[in-house]
């Protein structure tokens, strides 16, 4: 069970509606505040759910895709992609 | 002296709120009836304090510090932080500091090591059942947050023992309060993993059957099977606490309603205490 602390922290923080709105408007500005690996940032940009799933808690992952407005069907499709 | 007057279990899940209008009528009717029946029994037992055992869904704790079990010892706790729980009618919920401290001390004396918190956010895990039970008045709510969300988690055996301990602690509390226990969550569901949306009905029926048998067999069964039936199923730990408080006897299934629209095998149960 691997945990990327800062990726998980980002997902945890995005439970705040104001931050989620800022993230949707200017993702890079929010990402710049978290010391994330480039590969992780790329996975976020590409909605690479399997890559992210290996690095965080499943509930946080689901919260994240909900916060960025992805429907559950699409999230599960990507997770199994 | 205090008295244990009831033990109950009920499912929770965000979609029970967010997708409620889209739940098919037959399932909605049965879920409503299940929650209401538990609420009715809770009120009929003249419950002063309700101990709610639920996981923390990343509302209070994070990877910095995620306790196995945290007892809410505050006079007051906060309502649910989730934006979609805004319509829940309570922003603050009275706790029971005296009982919380007594349970924490009883636990330490018995070789258990709980965390304690003087102010918790009570997320949907606690507040959805309270809401749907449609209680005339909210009893005091003493939260116990038991980790079934982020590994490593307490063993199933230990969760059952927590129930036994709670019973002893309640019965040694000197105030004349009537106390009930509600375990929330389960039965099978899968959140944020490849199987998300799956409900394992056969597994749930088998789990329910085992709640009617010997506690050791129930725990053995769950130890062998739980990990293969969705991460949400881990919340059966909270049912085990209620089961332990009831002495591992007197389980009654009020209803089981597998509900794909809310992606939970919804269970409602009550114990003779």
């Amino acid at each position: 069970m691997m945990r990327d602390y800062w990726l998980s922290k980002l997902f945890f923080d995005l439970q705040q509606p104001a931050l989620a709105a800022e993230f949707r408007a200017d993702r890079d500005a929010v990402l710049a505040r978290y010391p994330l690996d480039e590969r992780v940032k790329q996975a976020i940009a590409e909605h690479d759910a399997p890559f992210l799933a290996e690095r965080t808690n499943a509930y946080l992952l689901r919260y994240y895709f909900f916060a960025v407005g992805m429907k559950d069907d699409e999230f599960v499709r990507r997770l199994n992609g | 002296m205090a008295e244990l007057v009831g033990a109950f279990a009920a499912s929770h899940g965000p979609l029970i709120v967010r997708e409620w209008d889209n739940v098919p009528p037959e399932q909605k009717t049965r879920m409503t009836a299940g929650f209401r029946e538990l609420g009715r029994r809770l009120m009929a037992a003249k419950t002063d304090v309700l101990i709610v055992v639920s996981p923390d869904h990343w509302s209070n704790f994070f990877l910095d510090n995620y306790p196995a079990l945290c007892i809410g010892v505050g006079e007051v706790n906060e309502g649910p932080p989730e934006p979609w729980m805004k319509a829940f009618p309570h922003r603050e919920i009275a706790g029971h500091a005296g009982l919380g401290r007594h349970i924490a001390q009883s636990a330490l004396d018995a070789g258990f090591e709980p965390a304690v918190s003087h102010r918790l956010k009570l997320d949907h895990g606690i507040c959805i059942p309270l809401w749907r039970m449609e209680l005339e008045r909210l009893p005091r709510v003493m939260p116990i947050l038991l980790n079934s969300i982020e590994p490593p988690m307490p063993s199933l055996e230990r969760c059952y023992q927590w129930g036994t301990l709670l019973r002893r602690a309640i019965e040694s509390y000197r105030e004349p309060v009537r106390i009930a226990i509600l375990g929330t969550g389960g039965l099978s569901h899968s959140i944020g993993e490849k199987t998300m949306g799956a409900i394992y009905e056969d597994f749930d029926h088998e789990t329910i059957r085992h709640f009617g048998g010997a506690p050791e067999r129930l725990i053995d069964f769950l130890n062998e099977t739980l990990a293969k039936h969705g991460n949400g199923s881990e919340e059966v730990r909270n049912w085990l606490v209620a089961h332990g408080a009831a002495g591992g006897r007197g389980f009654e299934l009020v209803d089981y309603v597998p509900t794909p629209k809310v992606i939970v095998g919804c269970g409602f149960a009550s114990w003779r205490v």
Side-chain angles (χ1 to χ4, degrees):
Chain A
M1 183 199 62
M2 197 166 106
R3 290 287 179 262
D4 182 320
Y5 177 85
W6 290 109
L7 173 71
S8 301
K9 185 72 163 76
L10 170 70
F11 290 178
F12 177 82
D13 292 346
L14 284 172
Q15 293 182 87
Q16 301 161 33
L19 187 67
E22 186 187 353
F23 186 85
R24 287 191 297 268
D26 187 352
R27 186 179 64 211
D28 290 345
V30 175
L31 289 184
R33 293 176 218 148
Y34 294 79
L36 298 165
D37 288 348
E38 286 308 316
R39 180 65 188 88
V40 172
K41 285 186 193 171
Q42 186 190 336
I44 289 170
E46 294 171 356
H47 295 318
D48 186 345
F51 180 92
L52 299 171
E54 287 174 7
R55 289 161 176 78
T56 194
N57 177 275
Y59 287 78
L60 287 174
L61 184 72
R62 194 267 182 112
Y63 291 172
Y64 168 70
F65 281 103
F66 177 69
V68 297
M70 188 180 286
K71 298 267 187 238
D72 281 344
D73 289 354
E74 170 69 4
F75 165 53
V76 174
R77 193 185 65 72
R78 285 181 176 273
L79 206 45
N80 284 284
Chain B
M1 299 292 278
E3 189 184 350
L4 179 68
V5 296
F8 308 97
S11 296
H12 63 243
L15 300 187
I16 293 176
V17 170
R18 281 167 32 205
E19 285 292 326
W20 187 245
D21 291 343
N22 299 320
V23 173
E26 193 246 333
Q27 289 163 352
K28 189 189 276 191
T29 302
R30 283 177 57 190
M31 285 170 68
T32 301
F35 278 121
R36 275 186 191 156
E37 176 58 17
L38 297 189
R40 189 191 67 74
R41 294 184 190 199
L42 195 74
M43 296 310 288
K46 297 184 169 55
T47 303
D48 299 311
V49 187
L50 181 62
I51 298 175
V52 187
V53 187
S54 182
D56 179 61
H57 300 86
W58 302 105
S59 297
N60 295 279
F61 309 132
F62 183 60
L63 297 179
D64 303 79
N65 184 0
Y66 202 118
L69 184 142
C70 179
I71 298 174
V73 300
E75 290 287 359
V76 175
N77 292 292
E78 295 175 24
E82 299 94 332
W84 43 268
M85 285 292 285
K86 241 179 215 154
F88 179 72
H90 308 279
R91 283 298 103 199
E92 289 196 326
I93 299 170
H96 199 299
L99 178 65
R101 282 197 303 270
H102 173 75
I103 289 174
Q105 191 59 55
S106 301
L108 290 164
D109 292 346
F112 291 61
E113 285 83 23
V116 297
S117 169
H118 290 259
R119 194 171 177 94
L120 288 165
K121 299 181 188 80
L122 308 188
D123 70 26
H124 72 273
I126 290 178
C127 293
I128 284 179
L130 292 181
W131 201 3
R132 290 277 181 252
M133 282 183 194
E134 302 175 7
L135 306 173
E136 296 155 27
R137 56 162 188 87
L138 210 53
R140 288 177 180 272
V141 172
M142 205 215 82
I144 294 182
L145 299 181
L146 171 57
N147 178 20
S148 55
I149 296 288
E150 170 68 3
M153 301 169 191
S155 74
L156 302 175
E157 176 73 28
R158 190 58 159 176
C159 295
Y160 182 83
Q161 290 166 354
W162 264 107
T164 310
L165 177 96
L166 280 182
R167 174 70 170 259
R168 282 205 308 270
I170 288 166
E171 290 176 348
S172 65
Y173 187 53
R174 290 182 179 279
E175 300 294 320
V177 283
R178 299 172 64 81
I179 301 168
I181 295 176
L182 169 68
T184 90
L187 291 166
S188 70
H189 55 294
S190 170
I191 302 296
E193 50 186 3
K194 286 183 179 177
T195 50
M196 179 153 147
I199 297 172
Y200 301 92
E201 290 187 40
D202 291 348
F203 168 71
D204 286 341
H205 285 297
E206 196 68 355
T207 301
I208 289 163
R209 192 176 68 75
H210 274 96
F211 266 103
E216 301 77 19
R217 297 285 301 281
L218 167 67
I219 291 167
D220 286 349
F221 165 75
L222 289 171
N223 273 327
E224 284 166 19
T225 55
L226 193 56
K228 296 175 221 142
H229 293 93
N231 55 356
S233 308
E234 301 284 352
E235 291 171 344
V236 76
R237 281 174 173 74
N238 307 319
W239 289 51
L240 285 174
V241 175
H243 198 47
R249 295 184 302 275
F251 175 82
E252 178 197 347
L253 181 73
V254 171
D255 204 356
Y256 170 68
V257 192
T259 308
K261 205 71 201 170
V262 303
I263 63 169
V264 176
C266 293
F268 305 91
S270 178
W271 283 260
R272 282 191 308 278
V273 294

